[in-house]
């Protein structure tokens, strides 16, 4: 065989392997496109609203749950209050002062819905305010005992009908360390004498709820306040009971900015920052914007200053429309399902980066090669960017998956 024939033979082999590599690359690109076509967005299970809503309103706002400071949603047409589709999204709340009627109310819920099978129940709403749970004439120390007594009585009433009920309790207006610690201590002292079956607070409740409000235009960039709440509660639980709540949940049942002079852009800024912070939080289980708004179907109204925070308004056609804040809230907190996840762990190990998709866009293209090339220009630079491996092994991955 002549040198020319050898060169032609080697060139043919090179073209063969190059064509084979391109074939498998195209196959992977087609697979990624198919996965992307199946991907869809759904509302985050965390995202909710404080205020009563119809299923259509919830769908339009792209939210997963709601509550209404009441044991049922509050429709003008009372039959709708027991609609099963509504109860898939609704969480009842019991005020402390309503404990005497708690047994009748939970009986009604269990008779008219399918909810009483380990459902969630919110207890308390700013219990240390006179307008809510605090007994008139009582000082702050007595108010803690009031909250402990009222919420404990409600738990006893609900557990008779729904033994597996999950209770999210307290409902502070803000993260108040003294009130959190006092509530836990008082609970043990009071209920050990009254009813030892519910005295062990860490096993009786599932978690806590409270409110977070900010100045208009503020941009909370983390879940710091929720983390602090959990740290305080866990510390006191360990001190008083020697343990914490298994699978502890933290709900932010009101959030936003209570300032009637706030403009829409300021509120949108605060809203977006809060949603991003709580969506990415490992502590916050659910959150709800205050205030949902009003509509012709609901026993609610739009009093000032709340009107400026509303997500929906009644319209002239007898229905409702989303406010500019509602449109903003609808776009936030969405989750994509049906798409391959992009992980950056162990690029050169068994769990390699998703088949060369170094920019995490769900497909493999020449852009990924460009990113690898630019990687060498950043040699030794540390970065959390998903595509930056900054290692010769990055080339090896591409070779292993597509060219070899």
């Amino acid at each position: 065989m002549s040198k020319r024939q050898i060169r032609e033979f080697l060139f043919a082999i090179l073209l063969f392997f190059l064509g084979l590599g391109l074939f498998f690359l195209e196959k992977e690109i087609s697979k990624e496109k198919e996965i992307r076509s199946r991907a869809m967005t759904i509302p985050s299970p965390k995202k909710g609203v404080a205020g009563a809503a119809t299923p259509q309103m919830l769908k339009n706002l792209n939210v997963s749950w709601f509550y209404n400071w009441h044991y049922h949603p509050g429709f003008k047409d009372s039959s709708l209050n027991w609609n099963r589709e509504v109860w898939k999204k609704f969480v009842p709340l019991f005020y402390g002062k309503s404990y005497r009627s708690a047994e009748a109310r939970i009986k009604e819920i269990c008779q008219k819905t399918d909810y009483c099978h380990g459902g969630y129940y919110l207890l308390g709403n700013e219990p240390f305010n006179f307008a809510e749970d605090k007994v008139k004439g009582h000082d702050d120390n007595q108010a803690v005992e009031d909250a402990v007594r009222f919420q404990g009585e409600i738990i006893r009433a609900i557990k008779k009908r729904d033994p597996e009920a999950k209770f999210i309790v307290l409902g502070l207006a803000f993260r108040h360390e003294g009130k959190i610690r006092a509530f836990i201590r008082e609970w043990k002292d009071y209920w050990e004498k009254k009813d030892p079956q519910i005295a062990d607070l860490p096993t009786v409740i599932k978690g806590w709820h409270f409110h977070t409000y900010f100045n208009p235009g503020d941009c909370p960039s983390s879940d710091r306040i929720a983390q602090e709440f959990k740290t305080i509660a866990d510390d006191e639980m360990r001190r008083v009971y020697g343990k914490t709540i298994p699978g502890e949940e933290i709900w932010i049942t009101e959030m936003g900015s209570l300032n009637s002079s706030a403009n829409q852009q300021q509120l949108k800024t605060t809203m977006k920052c809060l949603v991003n912070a709580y969506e990415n939080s490992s502590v916050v289980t659910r959150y709800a914007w205050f205030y949902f708004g009003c509509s012709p179907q609901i026993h609610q109204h739009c009093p000032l200053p709340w009107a400026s925070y509303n997500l929906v308004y009644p319209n002239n056609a007898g229905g409702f429309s989303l406010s500019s804040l509602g449109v903003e809230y609808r776009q936030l907190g969405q989750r994509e399902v049906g798409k391959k996840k992009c992980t950056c762990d162990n690029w050169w190990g068994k769990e390699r980066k998703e088949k060369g998709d170094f920019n995490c866009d769900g497909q493999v293209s020449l852009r990924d090669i460009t990113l690898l090339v630019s990687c060498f220009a950043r040699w030794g630079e540390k970065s959390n960017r998903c595509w930056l491996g900054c290692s010769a092994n990055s080339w090896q991955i591409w070779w292993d998956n597509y060219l070899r």
Side-chain angles (χ1 to χ4, degrees), residues 217-393:
D218 282 357
C219 183
S221 58
S222 74
D223 62 348
R224 178 183 58 82
I225 295 176
Q227 292 277 3
E228 290 174 353
F229 189 108
K230 185 178 187 305
T231 298
I232 294 165
D234 287 353
D235 175 70
E236 196 63 25
M237 284 288 205
R238 290 189 191 98
R239 196 186 71 78
V240 175
Y241 291 99
K243 58 186 176 182
T244 58
I245 304 168
E248 182 180 15
E249 298 188 25
I250 303 290
W251 293 25
I252 308 298
T253 41
E254 291 183 25
M255 72 178 199
S257 180
L258 294 178
N259 189 316
S260 59
S261 63
N263 62 49
Q264 293 293 289
Q265 189 53 52
Q266 289 175 319
L267 291 171
K268 287 178 183 178
T269 295
T270 301
M271 172 187 282
K272 184 175 182 179
C273 294
L274 280 169
V275 171
N276 287 339
Y278 294 155
E279 276 297 321
N280 294 313
S281 171
S282 61
V283 170
V284 175
T285 311
R286 298 195 193 189
Y287 60 84
W289 178 261
F290 179 93
Y291 176 61
F292 168 72
C294 52
S295 78
Q297 297 94 340
I298 305 295
H299 288 295
Q300 294 294 324
H301 49 98
C302 297
L304 292 173
W306 293 357
S308 59
Y309 322 133
N310 283 7
L311 303 179
V312 301
Y313 286 110
N315 59 31
N316 294 331
F320 70 93
S321 299
L322 297 186
S323 67
S324 62
L325 273 182
V327 172
E328 180 76 12
Y329 200 56
R330 178 181 63 191
Q331 297 168 349
L332 299 172
Q334 298 186 62
R335 295 191 179 182
E336 194 169 59
V337 295
K339 180 179 177 180
K340 289 177 75 175
K341 292 182 179 179
C342 181
T343 60
C344 302
D345 299 330
N346 301 324
W347 279 36
W348 42 88
K350 291 182 180 179
E351 298 178 14
R352 286 174 176 164
K353 186 77 167 46
E354 295 265 351
K355 298 295 185 181
D357 178 17
F358 293 107
N359 64 351
C360 298
D361 67 352
Q363 61 183 327
V364 177
S365 67
L366 291 177
R367 176 62 178 157
D368 297 296
I369 302 177
T370 304
L371 293 173
L372 285 176
V373 173
S374 69
C375 204
F376 282 91
R378 297 167 178 260
W379 188 273
E381 179 182 328
K382 291 184 178 180
S383 173
N384 292 323
R385 288 286 299 277
C386 196
W387 56 270
L388 281 180
C390 291
S391 156
N393 291 325

Side-chain angles (χ1 to χ4, degrees), residues 63-80:
V63 298
S64 296
W65 72 282
F66 75 103
Y67 77 102
N68 191 35
W69 303 277
H70 201 43
Y71 77 105
H72 66 63
F75 292 104
K76 288 182 179 178
D77 179 352
S78 59
S79 65
L80 292 176

Side-chain angles (χ1 to χ4, degrees), residues 126-300:
E126 303 185 358
F128 305 111
N129 293 336
F130 287 127
E132 309 298 338
D133 293 342
K134 189 175 181 180
V135 174
K136 191 172 182 179
H138 283 189
D139 60 25
D140 278 355
N141 291 331
Q142 291 172 306
V144 172
E145 183 177 329
D146 292 338
V148 165
R149 177 165 60 93
F150 294 157
Q151 294 188 26
E153 293 289 0
I154 292 168
I155 286 175
R156 291 208 300 177
I158 292 175
K159 284 179 76 69
K160 290 178 184 177
R161 296 274 179 174
D162 189 353
E164 303 302 317
K166 296 184 281 288
F167 299 104
I168 307 296
V169 307
L170 196 50
L172 287 180
F174 58 95
R175 190 232 73 188
H176 191 299
E177 180 173 353
K179 296 290 196 302
I180 299 168
R181 293 185 183 278
F183 183 87
I184 293 170
R185 292 194 301 268
E186 182 63 28
W187 189 282
K188 187 172 188 291
D189 291 343
Y190 183 87
W191 287 107
E192 276 188 342
K193 302 169 187 174
K194 182 80 173 178
D195 185 348
Q197 288 188 338
I198 68 164
D200 189 21
L201 189 60
T203 61
V204 170
I205 67 173
K206 188 65 178 174
W208 313 90
H209 73 110
F210 70 109
H211 306 157
T212 59
Y213 286 107
F214 297 85
N215 294 321
D218 282 357
C219 183
S221 58
S222 74
D223 62 348
R224 178 183 58 82
I225 295 176
Q227 292 277 3
E228 290 174 353
F229 189 108
K230 185 178 187 305
T231 298
I232 294 165
D234 287 353
D235 175 70
E236 196 63 25
M237 284 288 205
R238 290 189 191 98
R239 196 186 71 78
V240 175
Y241 291 99
K243 58 186 176 182
T244 58
I245 304 168
E248 182 180 15
E249 298 188 25
I250 303 290
W251 293 25
I252 308 298
T253 41
E254 291 183 25
M255 72 178 199
S257 180
L258 294 178
N259 189 316
S260 59
S261 63
N263 62 49
Q264 293 293 289
Q265 189 53 52
Q266 289 175 319
L267 291 171
K268 287 178 183 178
T269 295
T270 301
M271 172 187 282
K272 184 175 182 179
C273 294
L274 280 169
V275 171
N276 287 339
Y278 294 155
E279 276 297 321
N280 294 313
S281 171
S282 61
V283 170
V284 175
T285 311
R286 298 195 193 189
Y287 60 84
W289 178 261
F290 179 93
Y291 176 61
F292 168 72
C294 52
S295 78
Q297 297 94 340
I298 305 295
H299 288 295
Q300 294 294 324

